[in-house]
Amino acid sequence: MSAALEALESAPQGTSLAENAYLLLRDRLIMLDVKPGDPINDGQIAAELGIGRTPVREAIKRLESDHLVVSYPRRGTFATGVDITQLAEVSEIRELLEPLASRKAARMASPAMRSELRAVAAAIRDLEGQDNSSQELMRYDIQVHRLIYKASANAHLEDVLIRYDNLATRIWCHMLEKMPSVSGHISEHADLLTAIADGDEDRAAELALHHVVSFEETIRKVL
């Protein structure tokens, strides 16, 4: 695995115990490492992370607002189910906002960020022919999208898109076993990242829209 992709796949780090717990749990829920319907045990998680229950409970509250967990009185907290019927609604929002983020990233990205985008694009092209699992490829997908959102230099847009990309990724991971391959979906990122790094706003927006539309079409073909 290349250094660029290793960096992308590294565990996210927050600024507090609650933030770190949130980021860790969020990505486990997104990738279905925590299965839909599984109970969320704050004591067990706190012990695993070596922290108190309070920051874990704070993290769980945030995950509720992200629609990734749901709490029931006297029953506990559980990972939400994956609702395929939400695909159209999630895609409708992403079809508007993903091109906007890519266009803004092409305009606003710093020189250092453009270098990083080019490095990741090259690393993704190097994936061709490698034996990476679908789960590994989907982790790259998540991190590439987050990199684009960060490059857009709009924290509010970044926050909204992360939330909806998370929901879309859960749907994708739920359908992985029915899909022949996700390598083509991942390889699309290389041209998108290059367009952003080149400052080509129209091309970046066009490729971002195509990526989201093809995502929905791919899911619908296997339903």
Side-chain angles (χ1 to χ4, degrees):
M1 187 186 302
S2 71
L5 284 175
E6 285 179 344
L8 275 178
E9 202 180 27
S10 61
Q13 292 296 315
T15 56
S16 67
L17 294 176
E19 178 76 3
N20 282 330
Y22 167 76
L23 294 173
L24 177 67
L25 286 171
R26 183 192 66 182
D27 285 358
R28 287 183 179 180
L29 288 158
I30 294 166
M31 295 301 301
L32 304 188
D33 295 330
V34 178
K35 304 296 183 187
D38 278 358
I40 308 296
N41 186 312
D42 58 358
Q44 181 179 343
I45 295 166
E48 178 187 346
L49 299 180
I51 61 177
R53 289 192 177 194
T54 298
V56 174
R57 287 171 179 166
E58 291 177 16
I60 289 172
K61 285 292 183 184
R62 287 182 64 185
L63 293 166
E64 282 190 78
S65 68
D66 290 343
H67 305 291
L68 294 174
V69 304
V70 59
S71 296
Y72 301 101
R74 296 179 297 279
R75 284 183 56 198
T77 300
F78 303 85
T80 56
V82 177
D83 187 355
I84 302 297
T85 64
Q86 293 180 352
L87 176 62
E89 294 176 355
V90 171
S91 295
E92 184 177 44
I93 295 168
R94 294 183 71 224
E95 284 171 15
L96 291 173
L97 297 186
E98 291 278 356
L100 173 62
S102 294
R103 183 181 293 278
K104 284 186 63 64
R107 185 188 318 142
M108 302 296 296
S110 66
M113 177 61 77
R114 292 182 196 277
S115 294
E116 184 175 358
L117 292 166
R118 292 187 196 282
V120 174
I124 289 173
R125 290 189 176 100
D126 288 343
L127 285 174
E128 188 174 351
Q130 293 185 23
D131 185 22
N132 293 292
S133 71
S134 294
Q135 285 287 107
E136 288 175 321
L137 292 173
M138 288 310 301
R139 292 185 194 279
Y140 301 153
D141 180 84
I142 293 171
Q143 299 306 330
V144 167
H145 279 279
R146 291 176 186 170
L147 182 63
I148 294 171
Y149 306 154
K150 181 179 179 182
S152 75
N154 183 323
H156 299 289
L157 180 61
E158 179 180 5
D159 182 63
V160 170
L161 272 171
I162 285 175
R163 180 171 299 190
Y164 284 101
D165 185 60
N166 290 345
L167 295 175
T169 300
R170 284 192 95 215
I171 293 172
W172 188 278
C173 288
H174 183 67
M175 304 299 294
L176 271 182
E177 291 184 359
K178 295 184 178 181
M179 295 182 189
S181 173
V182 296
S183 59
H185 176 75
I186 304 305
S187 65
E188 290 178 0
H189 289 113
D191 288 343
L192 173 57
L193 292 170
T194 300
I196 294 172
D198 288 346
D200 190 339
E201 296 182 35
D202 291 341
R203 177 69 172 157
E206 176 189 347
L207 290 172
L209 178 59
H210 170 76
H211 185 70
V212 176
V213 170
S214 66
F215 161 81
E216 182 177 6
E217 290 175 347
T218 300
I219 294 292
R220 293 200 179 282
K221 285 178 182 177
V222 296
L223 286 177

